[in-house]
Amino acid sequence: MTYDAIVIGLGGAGSATAMHLAKRGRRVLGLEQFTRAHDMGSSHGRSRVIRKAYFEDPRYVPLLVEAYRGWRSLETQSATSLLSITGGLNLGPPEHPCIRGVEESARQHGLHYERLQADALLERWPMLRLESHEVGIYEGDAGILNPEKAVRAFQRAGEDAGAELLFETAVEAIETHASGVLVHAGGKSLSARALILTTGAWSAGPNPLVPSPVPLTVERQVQLWFRASPIEDHRSDRLALLIRFFDDRSYYSLPDTGHGVKACRHHGGAQTSAEHLIREVNPADIEDVRWFLERTIPGANMDPHDARVCMYTNTPDDHFMIGAHPNHPRTWLATGFSGHGFKFMPVIGEALSQLVLDGHTNHGIELFHPVHRGHTKP
């Protein structure tokens, strides 16, 4: 059977891409080695941050504006609530490059934000603990996405549009040719005019299906949930999501939406691989996050009641990798989301489908080209 496109990996990026391809009337096959909306990769954990004032680079902001629209459209299609607006605080010393980056991206794109000194922050959010010299950049549009619900919504919408999605189906080998691709999976040989690889951490393993044109590393990340006291002060109607920048590390927390306060370190995890990831949470993981809570939200500094381990797949410059594979014909990539990609999935799925079908996209993703860019962090 010949398909217009085969998508391998049905996390956020793969499920969104399969949906967009199917909506354009193409015959699409999606292959996933695990179950629907599984917790083995990087598209799980009950909640994900979404924000527009982007310290990573102002060039992301137009894509974020489109992503918000995409999430709201998917909510309408799926009759499912996926995005909750809570407001977001970026906290840290005023000279920190990430604080400056948040303000610069907001200024460049005319985003509304508030810059607050520590005393004003504590008056508004008395449950916080801050240093007197720190500032907060408040963005009212920031919020929380539910990744498992989102992945399922992409998948249902794709299937409704005609996509064929197969789960618990491992891919054994791939052959790429100028005229098409051949994928060996589940005991079958499947051909397609195009191949899209959205395999996350499996793009960086010791034996990837197709070698990456950019070196990738996999980082272990721990997600923890805490019961805060008093609980009413830490719910999403009182407490915003937080990102706090210290001199040598950063953390984030999401207010209680029914399962407790979620708190995590952003980067700084051990280098690993999808095949060798340690999924058990150890005391050092917990103490690291409690260090942040004690200094930021002491009311949540309790023993965690739930935990999940996931992975960041990092590029050398922490920007995504999206585009045609330079060494394999008829093959496109979307990976290396470096711990900040999930919020973009509606627009990434659309951009990737346009690249495959039209040869170009109307979304500004030049920053993510697999080859034509620098390979070190700015």
Side-chain angles (χ1 to χ4, degrees):
M1 183 178 294
T2 298
Y3 296 88
D4 292 305
I6 294 176
V7 180
I8 300 178
L10 294 176
S15 298
T17 302
M19 180 195 76
H20 280 288
L21 288 166
K23 284 189 169 186
R24 291 189 59 179
R26 299 314 196 265
R27 187 166 196 169
V28 182
L29 174 66
L31 300 172
E32 169 57 56
Q33 64 178 321
F34 301 114
T35 58
R36 287 181 188 266
H38 60 82
D39 63 357
M40 300 298 287
S42 305
S43 294
H44 65 281
R46 294 192 180 92
S47 54
R48 285 287 187 278
V49 171
I50 185 167
R51 52 196 166 87
K52 291 179 184 174
Y54 220 63
F55 64 82
E56 290 85 348
D57 195 296
R59 288 173 287 182
Y60 284 87
V61 175
L63 297 172
L64 285 158
V65 173
E66 292 298 321
Y68 271 75
R69 293 175 184 149
W71 287 118
R72 292 308 189 193
S73 175
L74 184 62
E75 285 183 317
T76 300
Q77 295 173 60
S78 63
T80 304
S81 176
L82 303 173
L83 167 58
S84 301
I85 299 299
T86 62
L89 277 171
N90 293 271
L91 304 169
E95 69 278 4
H96 194 286
C98 292
I99 292 293
R100 294 201 304 266
V102 170
E103 289 190 286
E104 180 59 26
S105 67
R107 280 196 296 264
Q108 281 192 28
H109 295 280
L111 303 177
H112 178 71
Y113 72 97
E114 298 176 67
R115 180 187 174 99
L116 302 167
Q117 302 299 318
D119 55 352
L121 287 165
L122 295 175
E123 182 177 356
R124 192 160 165 183
W125 291 281
M127 70 287 292
L128 299 182
R129 178 179 292 174
L130 300 169
E131 300 294 330
S132 60
H133 69 283
E134 288 184 296
V135 299
I137 309 300
Y138 178 72
E139 176 190 348
D141 284 344
I144 300 173
L145 293 163
N146 186 305
E148 287 91 347
K149 285 184 178 180
V151 169
R152 289 181 182 275
F154 282 132
Q155 292 169 355
R156 287 195 302 269
E159 289 173 322
D160 289 346
E164 180 182 351
L165 306 182
L166 300 180
F167 298 90
E168 299 181 87
T169 303
V171 175
E172 293 95 30
I174 292 172
E175 301 173 42
T176 61
H177 309 282
S179 59
V181 299
L182 190 64
V183 176
H184 303 279
K188 298 179 180 179
S189 295
L190 307 158
S191 62
R193 296 181 180 88
L195 174 68
I196 299 100
L197 295 171
T198 49
T199 47
W202 285 264
S203 303
N207 297 296
L209 293 167
V210 173
S212 170
V214 171
L216 298 170
T217 57
V218 177
E219 186 180 346
R220 178 177 178 269
Q221 294 295 319
V222 179
Q223 306 173 78
L224 298 167
W225 286 264
F226 299 80
R227 296 292 187 199
S229 179
I231 190 170
E232 58 270 15
D233 283 350
H234 299 82
R235 289 177 175 150
S236 56
D237 58 346
R238 293 281 300 277
L239 181 62
L241 68 88
L242 309 174
I243 305 173
R244 190 171 183 188
F245 306 105
F246 297 93
D247 290 340
D248 59 346
R249 61 182 98 171
S250 59
Y251 298 81
Y252 67 93
S253 68
L254 294 92
D256 190 347
T257 57
H259 197 72
V261 172
K262 181 179 178 180
C264 314
R265 184 166 177 173
H266 182 51
H267 287 299
Q271 188 167 320
T272 184
S273 68
E275 294 81 2
H276 299 101
L277 175 67
I278 297 173
R279 295 188 178 274
E280 295 76 24
V281 175
N282 60 59
D285 297 326
I286 298 170
E287 287 307 307
D288 180 42
V289 175
R290 291 187 67 179
W291 181 92
F292 155 69
L293 291 174
E294 175 61 25
R295 287 159 177 78
T296 311
I297 324 173
N301 188 21
M302 305 170 73
D303 291 332
H305 68 91
D306 198 3
R308 296 286 187 275
V309 174
C310 70
M311 294 172 283
Y312 287 0
T313 306
N314 301 321
T315 62
D317 59 9
D318 283 346
H319 295 310
F320 313 153
M321 181 169 62
I322 304 171
H325 198 297
N327 305 319
H328 290 267
R330 314 298 299 171
T331 302
W332 283 262
L333 304 164
T335 187
F337 292 111
S338 303
H340 63 112
F342 192 86
K343 63 183 74 68
F344 294 87
M345 288 307 152
V347 70
I348 285 171
E350 183 174 51
L352 195 54
S353 69
Q354 291 171 347
L355 290 175
V356 172
L357 299 180
D358 306 326
H360 60 87
T361 175
N362 57 358
H363 297 294
I365 63 168
E366 297 81 6
L367 180 63
F368 312 141
H369 195 286
V371 177
H372 304 304
R373 72 187 213 206
H375 288 161
T376 57
K377 295 180 182 179

